[in-house]
Every structure is written in structure tokens, then in C-alpha cells.
Amino acid sequence: MATTLITGGTVVSATGRGQADVLVDGETIAAVLEPGSVLLGTDLKSTVDTVIDATGKYVIPGGIDAHTHMEMPFGGTFASDTFETGTRAAAWGGTTSIVDFVVQYPDQNILDQYHAWHEKAAGNCAIDYGFHQILSDVQDSSLTAMDELIEEGVTSFKLFMAYKGVFLSDDGQILRAFQKGASNGAMMMMHAENGAIIDVLVKQALEAGNTTPYFHGTTRPWQAEEEATHRAIMLADLTGAPLYVVHVSAKQAVEQIAGARDRGLNVFGETCPQYLYLSLEDQLGATSEEWGDFEGAKWVCSTPLRSKHEGHQHHMWQSLRTNDIQMVSTDHCPFCMKGQKDMGIGDFSKIPNGIGSVENRMDLMYQGVVTGQITLERWVEITSTTPARMFGMYGKKGVIQPGADADIVVYDPNGHTSIGLGKAHHMNMDYSAWEGYEIDGHVDTVLSRGKVIVDDDQYIGAKGDGKYFKRGLSQYLV
Amino acid sequence: MATTLITGGTVVSATGRGQADVLVDGETIAAVLEPGSVLLGTDLKSTVDTVIDATGKYVIPGGIDAHTHMEMPFGGTFASDTFETGTRAAAWGGTTSIVDFVVQYPDQNILDQYHAWHEKAAGNCAIDYGFHQILSDVQDSSLTAMDELIEEGVTSFKLFMAYKGVFLSDDGQILRAFQKGASNGAMMMMHAENGAIIDVLVKQALEAGNTTPYFHGTTRPWQAEEEATHRAIMLADLTGAPLYVVHVSAKQAVEQIAGARDRGLNVFGETCPQYLYLSLEDQLGATSEEWGDFEGAKWVCSTPLRSKHEGHQHHMWQSLRTNDIQMVSTDHCPFCMKGQKDMGIGDFSKIPNGIGSVENRMDLMYQGVVTGQITLERWVEITSTTPARMFGMYGKKGVIQPGADADIVVYDPNGHTSIGLGKAHHMNMDYSAWEGYEIDGHVDTVLSRGKVIVDDDQYIGAKGDGKYFKRGLSQYLV
Amino acid sequence: MATTLITGGTVVSATGRGQADVLVDGETIAAVLEPGSVLLGTDLKSTVDTVIDATGKYVIPGGIDAHTHMEMPFGGTFASDTFETGTRAAAWGGTTSIVDFVVQYPDQNILDQYHAWHEKAAGNCAIDYGFHQILSDVQDSSLTAMDELIEEGVTSFKLFMAYKGVFLSDDGQILRAFQKGASNGAMMMMHAENGAIIDVLVKQALEAGNTTPYFHGTTRPWQAEEEATHRAIMLADLTGAPLYVVHVSAKQAVEQIAGARDRGLNVFGETCPQYLYLSLEDQLGATSEEWGDFEGAKWVCSTPLRSKHEGHQHHMWQSLRTNDIQMVSTDHCPFCMKGQKDMGIGDFSKIPNGIGSVENRMDLMYQGVVTGQITLERWVEITSTTPARMFGMYGKKGVIQPGADADIVVYDPNGHTSIGLGKAHHMNMDYSAWEGYEIDGHVDTVLSRGKVIVDDDQYIGAKGDGKYFKRGLSQYLV
Amino acid sequence: MATTLITGGTVVSATGRGQADVLVDGETIAAVLEPGSVLLGTDLKSTVDTVIDATGKYVIPGGIDAHTHMEMPFGGTFASDTFETGTRAAAWGGTTSIVDFVVQYPDQNILDQYHAWHEKAAGNCAIDYGFHQILSDVQDSSLTAMDELIEEGVTSFKLFMAYKGVFLSDDGQILRAFQKGASNGAMMMMHAENGAIIDVLVKQALEAGNTTPYFHGTTRPWQAEEEATHRAIMLADLTGAPLYVVHVSAKQAVEQIAGARDRGLNVFGETCPQYLYLSLEDQLGATSEEWGDFEGAKWVCSTPLRSKHEGHQHHMWQSLRTNDIQMVSTDHCPFCMKGQKDMGIGDFSKIPNGIGSVENRMDLMYQGVVTGQITLERWVEITSTTPARMFGMYGKKGVIQPGADADIVVYDPNGHTSIGLGKAHHMNMDYSAWEGYEIDGHVDTVLSRGKVIVDDDQYIGAKGDGKYFKRGLSQYLV
Ligand SMILES: [Zn+2]
Ligand SMILES: [Zn+2]
Ligand SMILES: [Zn+2]
Ligand SMILES: [Zn+2]
Ligand SMILES: [Zn+2]
Ligand SMILES: [Zn+2]
Ligand SMILES: [Zn+2]
Ligand SMILES: [Zn+2]
């Protein structure tokens, strides 16, 4: 098989950095070596098929985005990225694995859905992919399916405390799923918002004529998130199940998670770039010439962007530093403004929920390194190493070590990336949620299982490069 | 230079484990490779000078004990381990680096002391060593010395809130040292006990005829530790200095540290094996035929062993799991019962304070893996990787990666170690604080910078193998 | 009208005590005077119709039990005390007012129920009574009824987070009721247990053959109470409604309430004597010759008695002292063992929930004064003054001052009361939940609006003495 | 003796309000009666010597200012109010009792000082007065003096964590005093600021040329107060002594006190009007034509005014509402700008510390009722009832009930008070700290032990009206 030597770079891990060469043999990493690459008399550089010069650059494990929704059906439409377009965009941005959510709605058969998702993804992906399973309206059959899916490499299950009639499970259903998770080791993921509260507030807002995207934010107050987060934690406490709270946006929810950790529980939290950078006022409340006060629809997602006057964003960065929030995913769920988001003109509750960021996550988080919010090591940890450990992929993914899949990114701290339409934007969206963001770094080269798929601002991979990744149980539990 | 290949083992890091071979070239690690060791046509196994078969065993970065007091002068006597005996014992136990404390008493010149410590250590050590500097009674000259010592690789400074007239600095002195630390990046270490309170309680106990070792514990109540810990944290908050609290034993002190972390501060805590396993009642209150109720003197150290009825030990293990306590050192400061500890018969306040564990730390903490208190990865993290990062040694120490010093331990999970006199006990002490402890694992082979110094239950190194390690600033700050 | 002078006693209020005579003129207190009773030349003692000598005794405002369920319909049976028997028993025990709960089940008309309760009570009560209104399954009509009922003097409304299909309102319904409370000033009362969780645990316990009363306790774990308490607090935070959590039994729930108070919210908690004195192990787990392991049915109530090993009882006393719990009611809801509780033999979930204590509350709490758990003033505060303030009765009730209703108890600290069948037990129950409790004090004389209804261990009142009390809004809000 | 009837008013207590007449006979309250004053045939109004018409007004127990420093020696000068001028000003403002601090400096005999203070006060006061004792540099003799002073009615002792060489006791000294307090029931008062920290910061500020009053605030950061408060609480926890923290200004210190209460400790906090209304920026940073940037000297006191951007003032009002702060005193310690405060021009550390508010406290706090910060009842509680209970005066002071001293204020909610020089300002100060404050209420009439001393904007009392009040132990402990 083909061999590649990445030379001269600084290999960065979750715990530190060092000068080292990385030897790739076929799909995996064969060795990590002292730079210079003359090993016991063998001049590797002249022996290998390909040499990639990473001098002055960071060599990092490929990004893992553990929360995406490719072509997800929602409210009569579909998320605008297919597995093909979405994973290709991910590759552009230095992400070499995603974990996508298999959707089950009530009355749908879980395993049927699981197989349907395989069909959608197989042969279409640019990078490797795994699946989480969504469980709606948990029944006995759901509990049985959990065991079966773990065998299939689906070891994490997402429940919802919101979206009545669509995704919602009541607390008794959640309890039973958590009991199952406690016994079979599955990670229980939670969309933690109190839907019953939100439904009333939304109805009241619309009745009061408050119909613009701004009110999407005000009708999902932090109390609804904090409450549901606390409730999920109590269920984790009661059952012993590990809990992973998705898309945490409220600082008060973080405090609940941090408090649970202080008590020794296996409770974890994920945030997303939007909760670190964007706000209720600046985005949901934005206006534009094109869209007027509907401009904010671009950033309608749930949990919502939060008020900058309450300090959530500042606190979220801090929580990333102190590991009270363990990782950053995107909750990538893009919709176009025209033909999708615009269904909600005059009624924010009809706006498809979601933001597309799968391409931008590595860059956006790197900018946090540049501005001093996080260290270089922490960048690798929250975007790759912890996602791998959290979801049972570590060893093959999330680390540069012998035997690991050669999912590697060469990142140039002296490069530059401009995000926006016509610039770094390869997602299937007619707008960018990150228009105008400038990044002081650049994804130079991306290897997926040993194959260079992005290089020199060219995508040189092909659909079907990416394979299904059969995950194990979480490797992050205390 | 000589080459060694460690084959067939499971390399364990702070974030995971994997099958890999480790190639050592001279003093450093040259490569980490896929097992099998045929690299681009080169059969390493037949090429290297030495092959170490680690099949079925763990290959870990050598232990780092960041808190030792070799031949420390205290109360007219000296800690019974010299740099020679102490570091040799450390090697026996799989520890390949120590960071020892240079002692300065008031009126002593700090740099003179620093040089004196170099003289004691140079040419005598079995393993590499670094120094922290103790600052007593902080003066302007102390602040100047801090800058000079950082240049020398002494980047951490210990202050005391107890031991009036010996080590104590008042809060204004501490403030000034912390201000300096905030500006030059030094790690501020704190012995956090309120000495003024303790001095009164000790006096009252002795006056009341409460003279046995048990009262060493009761006169240093958790409130004295919690209070000082909180005070140190406020000084860190006020100045911005990083703070490292040594030998944390009270759960309430842990809560203060955890709270400070939740607020985003660079505040860290270390504990020691004695605070995880031993107690006021079982050890300080022990009696024996030989020593009667003075038996407890064997475990007189400060902070003291705490009551098992208050749950400190249980909580400390939990804090290790959740990273509210970041690492485990020994506070190795051994004294013999005869001729040293026995000075305190009839007056516990005259018992030299200290326990010797430098040899036992790796084993004792591994037993926590066996009993499910911590994971295998966490074991490596708290005993090696975090100490290296915390104290500016990472890259050369604390990790198995190319370019790192070849400080490597082959640890056998199927081996067994019995601790106690005549068994695993090579420290210069006439008793073992851990007599009778049985460990379900064994240190098989120890390499220090590429040289095998312990193998097959033989010490095959020599004094002087160990060199001074010039440390950088902490690599663990958020 | 008739005049009475209570002389020589120590009048105790929520803030202090002092020697004073109390002059009653008809139904109200006319004056509180310096002892001796010669006022500007008038020798009151010889002028009044009746003199009550309270020398050496406490003169306190009559007890107010703000949580009773007389003849409440539940599961096909009725609480065994009628308004007649229950209020008479209350009078025996020094309680001169109750606030009872009007029950509404789904589909019942709230105002019809309110009037039905008036019919039950009118002409039957020994002491004054007010009403709270239970709101099940909140609808628009419920919100309208709240406004109407406030006009009628029903200013507090109880919602349930448990008892699906019977009392439960979902979080959206609760939100709307709280919004109404925030606008009209009503006190929102909450039965805070997560019913969805409990229903699953009960089902699982029964399926596992765990059918005895003990499992009533284990299937309602503290997490279910803490969770619901926190959720109710978040709804109070979100809406601004005042919140009163009934029958708090778990220390973790207290912590939630205390935390909410620390944040400045109008959040209050009530406990009951059973949560201070009794436990899962000693009562729910009790056995007897007569009832075997069904003995525990005597103490089946919800929230349940909690484990003594977890320290709830100890913490609850502390919370009473620090005003983190503001008052003590009984949740009086008696059922006989024969013919009622025994419906649950073989299935604890069929045991009617409730304990009868309306007669014993004042004595049981006074015993807390004797044992040093609370002060004498705090006794008056938690049993009378705060209930009056909390529920808009203060001025007429809860205090000894001119213009107040002459609801007065003369309590003898040198007397003695033995509780149990054939002793101090006038409730319509075939057992006493407090059998064998001995109280170092005694209710000597009870006046209800100026009329002596209990004296010298004789009940000398009549049914119909008690009138409906039209309450105002809470006088306890911050 | 003379009799007075106060008719038609609303008597307000800590728990409620009601229409009542108050009959005064000589120095004490003889009765509280239903309005109308015809009692058993006696028309009181025509019988008494004097009738005071309080129709439409509040009748409240006279204010108690538990923290004053009349003619206190400090830094070579004396607080500008003598017992005569200060207590007269207090009377003007509706305060009828003060508790002043006997000062002891190191090497002074405590009992000598106590007697000296009696000499200063005797025959000079307009209102009753008690004493706290300051203990500097605690010695064995101090502990003995505590017992003796309790016999004299001095039941509270103030210690300092600041002012080295002047007032400071170290933690061991404080421990011993607290142990004594735990055994004899004395209330331990604490000036909780870390003086060692402050001394360094002050020195550094002056060296940096930061000499204006503004830097008085910045050199006493909240961390110094929070730290000392926590330390004092730990000493209270360790010893069991009741603790009363004086002049709390930082919200973080409040949190420590609230947390201690949540754990059941007898820990209390007092704040002062300046910490509710004034700030670092608006007052300490003020400039004026007359004084330039020295204007801020008018508000130099310790603890200092805090930054309004940190929300301390807002949080302090909240804490008053929730009883996390129990009472409001003034820390009255006035100095004139000319000849006193001006000693600190060019060096803020030489500005005598103190603000004069003894006259304004009742009005300033009443304005909090007007603005909705506190209830009317809470106003009475924090200014009179709790001070009386806290410091062993209740029954005679702090309440309107028979047998109490007739210290009564008739307060007109329809009146108005303008504070400032030439207006409501009778303190011996050449400026008012409250210049320009307008109060929507007015002190109409003040009775001190039955004698009208202020009426109709006239002072009609005389020096020597006020007597020493021998206090008992605290009546506020849980
Ligand atoms: Zn979601
Ligand atoms: Zn999602
Ligand atoms: Zn130490
Ligand atoms: Zn040490
Ligand atoms: Zn209930
Ligand atoms: Zn009830
Ligand atoms: Zn002070
Ligand atoms: Zn003062």
C-alpha cells in the first residue's frame, strides 16, 4: 500500500505538542518518529511514496463532529446538505469524521430507520461516519433496539424533552431508557429543553403578534434549558446512566452540569460555535435589506442563541477552558433561506430549526486559540480527542498514534481563511451563518484514512471515500 | 548510541491506550510504531541492541513525583532518605523523576540554598530531578530571586500559611509573591493550613494532657485547611497568579478548589496516597505492642490524616476521577521511628512530620485501577502526564512520544507486589507506612533516559544516573 | 358581649415573649396589658366576666394548620375525619384554624367544588376554617376561576406534578397558572414530586413482587422530589409567581428552596411533623403482630417518609431553625387501617395516602422546643404566625394583639401529654400515627374567637362554632 | 406618673400592622388597645395626661442603631459627634437607642476603657445607650474581661482582622475569643477585612501616586472582605460561637454569610445605608469645586463603598429582603472635612475613616419602603426589632408591647424630609454624606421612655434623658 511521510510539523495532542514526523502506511498511521526521519539507517523520506512538508504547521488528528443532521427530514422539508455535500464540506474544513443522527419518529421502527440511514450514507460520504440513534416516544421495543444497535456500533441514544408529538419522551419513558443505558453502557444524549413551557410561550408570542425570528429566542428562555438539564441530571443520578447534554447554550445549564460533575456523576456537555460567538440581539434580532427583520431566521436553531447581556457566551468559553463543557460539535442542520427558512415568514415557529457549520467548526475554534480563549492543545481535545473518547472511537480516531486511522489535518497557523459565500463555503446553503468571519489559520491538507482528500484549496477526494465507523462504548467515563 | 525496542506492550497515555512498539535511541524515544516492528522493510527487532518483551504488559511514561523532601532539615533532624537512597527507592517503584523542595528558612539566602541543594543532589541521584523553591517570610529579595530561579528552571515556589517563625509568610507577603507569580508565570504552591489556629489548638491539647499522635490529627481540623485553601484562592483571584495547593486532605478544601475551577481560575490541587487510603482513626489512633499508643507517630504528617467517619477519603477518590484534584504526589518526607519520630513521645508536636511513600505511589495508585476507583488512563495522567504538564516538564517527561526522554516503565498487571519491611521497601526507614498492602500489579522494568535501571526485581542503575531537569513554566494553565 | 381576662401568663410571639394580660371582649382581643390588670384605676380582674389564670403558662396565638384534607375523596374512599371530627380534634390540640383543600378533579367545575366544600363545612366546624383550591388539569376556565375565588377569600391554589389522570397538570398548564398567580397575587402551592418517574418505579416494584408499604418509600426517591421542586422553582423564576412547596421531606429539596431564597425569589417550603420525626426504616418498614409487614401502611403518605441514614430528618429541623423551611402543617389526611388502608394489602399503591396529625401538631412541635431543636418563639412562628402571614390571615389570626380574633391557647410547659389511642386521640382513626409519643407540655385552655372550647381536658365547644375565614393575599412576600 | 395615649395610628411590628392605641404610663407601655380607647367603660382619652393623635401615621418602636462610634479616638483625632450631639441627632431621626463601641487599644486595660466610656456618656445622652466592647490584640486578660463585662450588660465583643498594631488580632487570638464566646454566650462581632492584604495594596497605591480618595476603595477589594468573612465563619464553625459580621458591603461576603446560615450556623450580617445607596464611582470618585478630587473623602469609610458595576448595592437590598442580611446600622463615625478629613489630602490612607448617618438611617431605610425594596414590616424589623433581639434588648426595646420601654416613633408617610446642611442635619459635621436626599416620610414625634423628646420639628428633650441599658445575651440565636 501507499506510504506517506508528513515531515517537519508540530504534532499536537490533547496534552501537548512536539516536533515529529508521521509515517502513514496505507490507511493507518504506522509510526510517529523523531523529525528527520532517518531511522536506524533507513531514510524514510526517500523511501515513502509521498512526502508532505508540514514545516511550520500543526499536524493534528482530523476533526470529529459528533452532532450532524445530514438530509434530516423536519417539518415537511429536509436539511439541505446530503451526506455527499455535507461530508465534503466537512472535509474542506478539516473534519474527517461525523456522527450523524438516525431519526426515528413515533410509530416508525427504529431498526428500519437505522437501515434507511445506512442507505442514505453508503457510497456518498467523503469522510468516515458513525450514527447516533434518536429515540422518540420510548417503548419496550425501543429498549430492545438499544441492545441490538450497540452491536451495530451505535452506542449512543438521543432523547428529547421537547417537540411534543414529534420527538418528546416523557420522564417515565426517559427513566426506562436511562435504566437500559445504565445496564448496557450506552451514552444517553439529551435535548434538554422543557418543551411544554416553550409550547405555551410560543403560542402566547404568536397570539401577541410577536412573529419575527427574535421571538424564537425569547420563547425558549434559559429557564427552560436549565430546568430540563437539571431534570436529566436527576434521572442520570437516579439510574446511574451516563448523560451527554447536547447543544448547551445557557450558562445556568452549564452550572448544573458542572455541579453534577463535582458530585462525581458521568454527566457531560457539548456546546456549538454559535453559542460561543453569536447572540439573541446580534443575530436573531438582525435586519437586512434583503430580508428585513426576517434576517434572523438564518440563526434560528434550538437551543436558541442567548442574550449577550446575560453573559452566556463569555461563560461558555470559560467552561470550555475548565472542562465543564467537554467538547464542541456543530449541530449541523442547514436550511436555505429561500424555499426553506422562508416558510416561517410571519410565524417564527415555522422556520426550520438549524444552522450549518460543519465546514467551519475547526476554523472557528482555532480562532479561539488565536484570541487566547483556549490553548492549542485544548483545541485538539475539544474538536477531536474528546469526541473520539466520548463516543467510543478513540484509538482509531482522535489521536495521532500508531495503529490509528490516518485521519490527519495539516493546519497552517500562518494561513488565513475567509468564511462566506464565494469564499470558504462548500455547504449546500444559500447563505453562510458565518459570513464575514476571518480566521487566522488555514486547513492546508486533509488525509482521510491515508488518502489526501483536500490539498492546496482543492477537494481531491471522491464520494464513497468515507466508510461507516462501528463505534464502541464511551471511553470517557469516570 | 544504544538502541532498545520495547515490543508487544500496551502503551497507555492520559487519553487512551493502544498496542505499539517503542523504539529508544540513546536517551530519547525515537519512534512509536505499530507492533510487529517491520518498518518499510527494516526489521527493527533484529536491528536494535536490546529488545524488551512487554507482551501482556503496560508501557507507561515513568512516574513523576512532584513533591519530595530528600534529606530535608526539620526540627534538628533530617528526613531519613538522602537523594541517593530516596531516588533509588523511587526507581524501584517506577518513578523516574522527582521534584524536590529547596528549603529556605528566614534569614537564609534563597540562591545559596538553591545551590546547596544542587550540591546535595548532584552525582547522587538514580533518576532525574528538578527543584521547587520554598520561600519563607517573603522579602523584596525573595521576589528578585524568583525571577533568577525561573531562569534556572525552578518555576514553582512554595509558600506556607503555617509554621510561624519557620516557614510562615503573612497574607501581605503572600500577596506580593503572588503578584510576582502573576507577572512572571511561576506556579505558586501553597501549604494551606491556618497555622495560627493550629498553634493554639496544639497548645491547648498538650496542656490538657492530650499528647499522643492521635491529637496531631484533631488539632489540625478540616476547618484550618478549608480556611487556608479558600484564603489562598482569594489571593489567586485577586492577583491572577496560578495556584497549586499541596497535599489536600479535607473534602471541604476540595470543594473550595472545585469551586474556584468552576469560576475559571487556574487553581489546582494535589493529594497523596495517605489521604486516599489512611485515616485518623485507623492510623493516627493505632496502637501496637512495640509502640503502644505512640504507634500512630508513623503516620504523623501535615495536613493530617482525616476522620473516616467524615468521608474525606471517599470524596478524594471521587475528586481524582472528576479532575477536581489533578494529581497525586507523595510529600515523601520519611523519618525513622527510632531516633527521629520517638522524639515526640509524650508530646505529639515534637514528632517529625512526614511519611515515606516515594517507592509506593505508582503501585498504590495502580491498585485504585484494580478496585475501579480510577481508569488505567487516569492512573497515567495523575502520576505522570499531569505532573509533567503542571510543572513544565512535558514533552521530555510525562509522555511516550518521539523526542521524549526514554523514561519508561513496563508494568505487569498480572504481577504482584507486597509492600513492607523485607519486601518492597527500599527507602531508608525503619518501618513502612504501607506495611501489609498488597498490590495486584508489578513494576517489571524501569528505563531512565534509555538506560534500564530496574529489571526483574534488581536495581541495576547507579548513583549519578539522574540529572538535574531544568523546567519550563507550567503547561497546564487554562 | 362577654369579657375575659387571661392573667399572669407569658405571652409569646414570633419575635419574643413577655409577661402580659390579655383582655378579650366578645370575639376579639381588646387589649394587651401590663400584668396586674389595674389600668388607670380600673381593676380589670374584677370587672370582666371571666378570669383565666395563666400563671406559669404560655399564652400563644391559636395554632393554624394550613394543610388539611377533611373528608377528602380519594381512590373510592374518604379521609376518615369529617369537618366535624377533624376540627374538634384540632381544637383539642390547640389548633384554632385550618385551611383545607377544596378538591377538583378533571372535568369537575371548580366553583361547584368550592361551593360543595362550603356545604360540607358550614355548621360543622369547631374552629374557623379557610380554603385553598386544588386545580387539576389546568384549563382556561381554571384561570378565570382563580380570579373569582380570590374575591371569595381563596387566595392560594395547589397544583400537582404527580397523580396522572387525577391531579396532574403538565408544565405548560402550570406555567399558565403561575402566570396568572404572578398577575393576581395568588400563592401557588405545589405538590412537587415527579409523577412520571414514580409511576414507572411503582410499576416495576410491583412487578418484582415488592408490594409492602416499605416500597411506597423506595419508589418515591428523593430525586423525584428534588427534581420537581427545582422545576417548580424555575417556573416561579420565569413567571414571578410566589411559590409554596407543600410537605417537603427531602433535604435536597430543601437545598433547592434555600437556593431560590438566596437568589431573592418568593419561594417557600412547608414541612410536616412526620418528616421531622419518622423514617422509612422505622415506620414504613415496621412490622407488628396485628399487621405483619403491612404495619407500615399507617405511615403511607406522599411525599414519603425518608431514610434516616440519609439525614433528612436532622436537616429538616435545621432548616426550620434557619427559616429555609418556613412553617409546619400536618397534611392531615387520615384513613383507618381497617376498611381503608387495608385495601392496599398485597399492593402498596392501593393504600390510601395520608397520616392524621391535626390534633398532635402543636404538641409535637413543642417537644422540639423541649429538646432544643427550636426556640419557643420559633414554635409560635412556624405553627401560627407564619401560616397566618403566608396565607393572608394575619392581623385576625396568628398574633395576640388588639383587634385580632381571640384565638388563644394557654399552654402549660409543666403539663404532660401522652399521645395514642385512649389517650390524646380524638381524630376519627382506628390507630394513632404517633402512638407512644410523650410530650412535656399540655394544651390547657383553648379559646376560639373568645369562646372557651377546650379547658381542663374537656371539649366544651359545639359544632358550628367555627366560621369560614375569608383570606386576603399573602402577607409574607418579599 | 404621667400617662400618654397615642391614638388612631397604625402600629407596625416586624410581623405585621394593625390599628391600635398605645397607652404609656410613665416610662413604659402599659397597654396596647383596640382603637377608640373606651375600655370597659373607661374613656382613656379623657383620662390620660396627654393624647397624641397618630391618625394616618405609623406608630413604630424607636429605632436602634447598634453600631455607633461617638467621640471615638482615631488617628490622633476624635469622631466629631460627642455622646451629646450624636444621640441628639439620633433622636431627631427617630432612633431611640444606640449601642456604641468601647474602644480598647493594645496595652489599654479593657475595664478601664469600659469605665471611661461610661464617664463620657453618663449625663450627656438624649436617648438610651448600650456598649459593645472592642477587643484589640486578645490576651488572657481579655478573656477574663469578657466574663466580667457580660455581668455589666456588655454581651458583644468586636474583633478586627485589619488595622495591624491598632486593633488587629491574629487568628489564634480570635480563636480563643471565639472559644470564650461559645462558652459564655457572647456575640462575637467581626470587622472582616484582610488587613495584611490591604496594607500592601495601600502602600503600592501610594507609591504609584494613586493618592486620592478613590483609591481608598480600590485598595480594599471585595476579595479582602470576602476572604475575612469566610475566615471568621470557619472560626465560628470550629468553635460554635455566634458571629455577627459588621458593615458588610460586598455581595460575595453576603454569599458567605448566606451559605453559613444554610448550614445552620449562628452567623449574621449587618449592612449600612451607604452600602445600599452609594458607590465607589459616584461618591469615592466624586469631584467638587470646593474639594476637587478630594471630594470623595466625605465617604471614606471601611469597608469601602463598592463599585456599582459589580452590583453589590442591588444584591444588598435583596439580601435585606431575604434575611441573609439581618439588620441595618450606621457605623456612625463622623469627621469634618475641615481639620479632620483634610489630613488625608495627598494621602488617602490618612483620611479618618467614617461616615455620619445616625440621624438619617430611619428615613433612608423608609425610602426603601417607598421604592418597594422592602416591606413596611421589614423596615421595623431591620431597624429596631432585630437589633433588639440580636443584642439582648428585646422586650424593653424593639417592640411595642406592654412592659416595654415607651420608645416610640410616630412616623408620617405623608410627610417629607429633606436631608442636608441647613435641613435635616443635626450631627456635628460640616457636610452631610446624604446631601440632597429626599425622603417621602417624616419623623413626627419621638418618645424616649415615655417622654416626648422630638415633636413638630423641635427637639424638646435634654442631655441626660438617656440612660445606660444593661443588655442580656442575644435573643436571636437559632
Ligand atoms: Zn437538539
Ligand atoms: Zn441536533
Ligand atoms: Zn506542606
Ligand atoms: Zn511537603
Ligand atoms: Zn400533596
Ligand atoms: Zn396534602
Ligand atoms: Zn469596622
Ligand atoms: Zn464601626
Side-chain angles (χ1 to χ4, degrees), chain B residues 102-355:
Chain B
V102 177
V103 174
Q104 175 230 3
Y105 289 113
D107 305 326
Q108 291 181 331
N109 180 286
I110 292 169
L111 291 170
D112 288 353
Q113 292 301 107
Y114 168 68
H115 293 302
W117 249 251
H118 265 298
E119 278 175 48
K120 294 193 203 193
N124 287 317
C125 291
I127 55 172
D128 287 357
Y129 56 94
F131 292 128
H132 308 287
Q133 177 70 49
I134 285 174
L135 302 179
S136 302
D137 189 35
V138 173
Q139 304 299 333
D140 285 349
S141 58
S142 314
L143 305 182
T144 312
M146 283 174 70
D147 286 334
E148 296 182 55
L149 285 167
I150 286 176
E151 294 301 308
E152 297 279 328
V154 177
T155 59
S156 42
F157 299 87
K158 184 177 177 187
L159 301 167
F160 288 78
M161 292 171 144
Y163 302 112
K164 190 171 186 174
V166 182
F167 286 130
L168 182 77
S169 287
D170 72 27
D171 293 346
Q173 293 174 307
I174 295 170
L175 173 69
R176 295 185 69 211
F178 275 32
Q179 289 174 328
K180 175 58 87 173
S183 74
N184 67 14
M187 178 66 76
M188 306 311 299
M189 308 176 79
M190 185 60 72
H191 180 122
E193 285 191 301
N194 186 314
I197 288 176
I198 290 167
D199 291 347
V200 169
L201 294 178
V202 167
K203 187 162 175 287
Q204 292 176 337
L206 293 174
E207 285 171 4
N210 297 325
T211 63
T212 63
Y214 180 82
F215 296 99
H216 173 76
T218 59
T219 56
R220 305 181 91 92
W222 66 260
Q223 287 94 340
E225 181 182 355
E226 196 264 12
E227 188 287 308
T229 303
H230 174 271
R231 186 151 35 106
I233 289 170
M234 270 299 116
L235 286 157
D237 183 297
L238 186 58
T239 58
L243 170 66
Y244 176 93
V245 184
V246 298
H247 49 53
V248 178
S249 65
K251 65 181 176 184
Q252 294 89 351
V254 175
E255 281 164 16
Q256 290 295 331
I257 292 166
R261 294 281 301 163
D262 289 350
R263 296 197 306 277
L265 299 181
N266 272 310
V267 171
F268 310 103
E270 154 204 287
T271 194
C272 308
Q274 53 267 39
Y275 306 122
L276 292 159
Y277 283 107
L278 312 180
S279 72
L280 170 69
E281 292 83 4
D282 290 342
Q283 274 74 32
L284 284 175
T287 57
S288 70
E289 223 169 290
E290 184 178 9
W291 292 102
D293 58 10
F294 191 68
E295 174 75 7
K298 292 176 176 175
W299 300 279
V300 164
C301 60
S302 299
T303 59
L305 304 185
R306 303 240 167 252
S307 171
K308 63 183 177 183
H309 303 306
E310 296 172 353
H312 302 281
Q313 296 80 359
H314 170 83
H315 195 275
M316 200 63 73
W317 277 114
Q318 177 186 297
S319 304
L320 268 184
R321 286 193 292 276
T322 60
N323 206 31
D324 287 320
I325 291 294
Q326 285 75 26
M327 47 185 274
V328 174
S329 309
T330 58
D331 196 8
H332 181 76
C333 194
F335 293 98
C336 291
M337 284 292 279
K338 294 199 177 119
Q340 294 192 305
K341 293 268 186 187
D342 59 6
M343 294 191 293
I345 293 177
D347 179 352
F348 67 81
S349 74
K350 297 212 163 64
I351 302 169
N353 278 215
I355 287 181

Side-chain angles (χ1 to χ4, degrees), chain A residues 31-34 39 402, chain B residues 4-5 21-25 28-33 39 44 400-403:
Chain A
V32 186
L33 317 100
E34 277 199 293
L39 184 67
Chain B
T4 305
L5 188 70
D21 290 355
V22 180
L23 177 66
V24 176
D25 188 2
T28 58
I29 295 170
V32 185
L33 317 101
L39 184 68
L44 293 179
I400 290 182
Q401 72 179 22

Side-chain angles (χ1 to χ4, degrees), chain C residues 67 69 158 331:
Chain C
H67 191 155
H69 298 283
K158 185 177 177 188
D331 197 6

Side-chain angles (χ1 to χ4, degrees), chain A residues 407-419:
Chain A
D407 290 1
I408 301 174
V409 173
V410 179
Y411 197 85
D412 183 0
N414 297 309
H416 188 88
T417 305
S418 295
I419 305 181

Side-chain angles (χ1 to χ4, degrees), chain A residues 3 13-18 20 23 28-34 39-40 42 44 47-48 258 261-264 318 321-322 324 375 385 389 394 401-403 477-478, chain B residues 3 13-18 20 23 28-34 39-40 42 44 47-48 258 261-264 318 321-322 324 375 385 389 394 401-403 477-478:
Chain A
T3 53
S13 77
T15 51
R17 65 191 89 173
L23 176 66
T28 58
I29 296 171
V32 186
L33 317 100
E34 277 199 293
L39 184 67
L40 302 181
T42 309
L44 292 179
T47 310
V48 296
R261 293 282 298 164
D262 289 351
R263 296 198 304 278
Q318 177 186 296
R321 286 194 291 277
T322 60
D324 287 320
T375 65
T385 307
R389 298 175 73 189
Y394 186 90
Q401 72 179 21
L477 305 188
V478 297
Chain B
T3 54
S13 78
T15 50
R17 65 190 88 172
L23 177 66
T28 58
I29 295 170
V32 185
L33 317 101
E34 278 199 292
L39 184 68
L40 302 180
T42 308
L44 293 179
T47 312
V48 297
R261 294 281 301 163
D262 289 350
R263 296 197 306 277
Q318 177 186 297
R321 286 193 292 276
T322 60
D324 287 320
T375 64
T385 306
R389 299 176 72 190
Y394 185 91
Q401 72 179 22
L477 305 189
V478 298

